Amino acid sequence: MLAACAQQPTNDVGFGGQPPAPPGPVQPKPEPERTPVAAEAIDLSQLPRGYPKKVWTQDNGTAVVATGQEGGCSKVHAEVAEQTADHVKILLVEETPDPPGICTMDLRYPPVAVSLSAPLEGRKVVLEQKDVKVPR
């Protein structure tokens, strides 16, 4: 750490406080607190047949919430793959343990959310799905 004018270096930031913790993953709010995205503003062509198709915004359009799909031992999360002036591409990643072990045979549809660098406004939401094996 550098110090000026013969000051001793300190670990304090700003006016003696610590910097705020970096924001964690955005959490989906309850459905009544979200705004649905119009069907014509969503590209679902890259999703597997039968995948959930609901998309919302929250936090004044700075977060997008989609319905993911997971089952058994797998867990789903969302990642922003691309943000341009005309669209936002969101990857719905289903992580499955490898080796799988003993898992239930159920499907779950949790909401998953991502933060955007700017409000969605008139941009199209493009959803894609990806399966990933993760070590147990």
Side-chain angles (χ1 to χ4, degrees), residues 8-97:
Q8 294 298 314
T10 68
N11 290 329
D12 294 338
V13 176
F15 295 101
Q18 293 296 317
V26 65
Q27 295 299 314
K29 291 186 176 180
E31 198 168 330
E33 296 177 36
R34 304 183 219 148
T35 303
V37 175
E40 58 273 7
I42 308 169
D43 179 350
L44 304 166
S45 63
Q46 301 299 307
L47 289 181
R49 186 173 174 210
Y51 205 91
K53 297 169 174 53
K54 291 185 178 180
V55 180
W56 304 264
T57 60
Q58 67 182 39
D59 302 331
N60 296 315
T62 60
V64 174
V65 180
T67 302
Q69 179 177 298
E70 61 186 24
C73 294
S74 71
K75 295 289 181 191
V76 68
H77 70 271
E79 300 174 0
V80 175
E82 182 177 66
Q83 294 187 65
T84 69
D86 67 339
H87 74 273
V88 173
K89 185 184 293 185
I90 299 172
L91 196 56
L92 300 167
V93 181
E94 185 175 0
E95 295 180 336
T96 304

